[in-house]
Amino acid sequence: MKIIVTGSTGFIGSNVLQSALSHSAITSVVAFSRRQLPPLNDPQQKLTVIIQSDFLNYSGPTRLTAEAHRKTNFDFTIAAATAFLQANVSGDGKKFTFIYLSGIFVEKDQARKLWFLTEARKIRGEVEIELMSMQKKHEEAFIAYIARPGPVLPTNSFFPTLFEPWTKLITVNDLAAKMLDTAINGHSTQTLEVQVLRDEGKRLRTGLLRGEE
């Protein structure tokens, strides 16, 4: 199994990347990054880093304008999905599995009035709609899954253990485990809400679901 990781220098992306490198079912990992990555535990030398300095000519201002926010969250995601799809259309006939990291409170209805985080929630809703549309048009070559975690906390945080029954919290290692399992094995539904990500992520890390070492 070959995996492509974007956002590999971020909090979640870096954890997904390290988990992929240590997963026995994954033989090759390609990481797209704006800069060189820090040293990683990669004894089997699975990792190939591709420095991608120009994402739609975005220069990365300190504070995102509305236009830059849309480029970062919508344009970059769809450009990547389109490129991977096009590369796979003439491939070996296998479907390319695309995992989109969305979030809770995403809103697909662009006309709905929201009281907080309006732009971010609606843009992610647009991304989800576009990915499902891409899949419908190219069912033979592309399948998309949507991960919708709540607030993501560091590994070994005590907050989820104490407050899980009443919150949408999830630790980054549980999230990474379920995202990788979905990339390898798929899932019964294409949208994975936080409860599924959290519960199955925990089981995966204790070897109770398929795909773990």
Side-chain angles (χ1 to χ4, degrees):
M1 167 67 73
K2 297 180 180 179
I3 295 286
I4 299 173
V5 180
T6 62
S8 53
T9 59
F11 170 53
I12 297 174
S14 61
N15 278 271
V16 171
L17 176 58
Q18 187 60 73
S19 296
L21 293 175
S22 59
H23 201 299
S24 61
I26 297 173
T27 58
S28 175
V29 180
V30 176
F32 285 90
S33 176
R34 290 182 182 274
R35 57 185 182 274
Q36 290 293 340
L37 301 178
L40 295 166
N41 182 19
D42 184 24
Q44 298 180 345
Q45 298 183 329
K46 299 179 182 180
L47 179 63
T48 299
V49 179
I50 297 177
I51 303 300
Q52 187 78 14
S53 60
D54 184 4
F55 292 94
L56 299 181
N57 299 313
Y58 172 61
S59 59
T62 302
R63 184 171 183 177
L64 292 180
T65 63
E67 180 182 3
H69 184 76
R70 182 174 182 81
K71 281 187 177 181
T72 302
N73 290 281
F74 183 89
D75 294 350
F76 289 1
T77 303
I78 300 306
T82 300
F84 299 149
L85 169 61
Q86 290 174 344
N88 193 53
V89 167
S90 58
D92 57 9
K94 295 181 179 179
K95 288 187 179 183
F96 185 91
T97 301
F98 190 94
I99 312 294
Y100 173 56
L101 183 61
S102 187
I104 58 173
F105 305 129
V106 166
E107 181 55 62
K108 293 183 179 180
D109 184 355
Q110 300 300 298
R112 184 176 180 182
K113 184 176 181 180
L114 303 176
W115 297 102
F116 65 97
L117 299 175
T118 299
E119 183 179 24
R121 292 165 63 188
K122 288 187 175 181
I123 287 176
R124 285 175 171 79
E126 283 190 81
V127 174
E128 292 188 11
I129 292 170
E130 184 63 22
L131 289 173
M132 292 299 104
S133 176
M134 289 176 63
Q135 176 181 305
K136 187 175 181 179
K137 294 176 182 177
H138 305 279
E139 292 183 347
E140 76 290 347
F142 183 87
I143 184 168
Y145 292 96
I146 311 298
R148 288 181 173 176
V152 181
L153 299 176
T155 302
N156 299 324
S157 171
F158 67 92
F159 284 103
T161 301
L162 294 175
F163 303 116
E164 271 183 356
W166 307 280
T167 71
K168 302 294 185 180
L169 298 172
I170 183 172
T171 57
V172 68
N173 51 343
D174 289 341
L175 176 58
K178 183 54 187 172
M179 288 178 69
L180 286 175
D181 179 71
T182 303
I184 296 167
N185 298 304
H187 190 73
S188 58
T189 61
Q190 289 184 264
T191 300
L192 290 77
E193 303 291 354
V194 62
Q195 189 71 40
V196 170
L197 294 167
R198 186 172 61 198
D199 292 351
E200 295 197 9
K202 287 184 181 300
R203 294 191 188 107
L204 281 162
R205 291 196 303 108
T206 55
L208 298 180
L209 287 182
R210 66 190 188 284
E212 264 294 318
E213 296 179 354

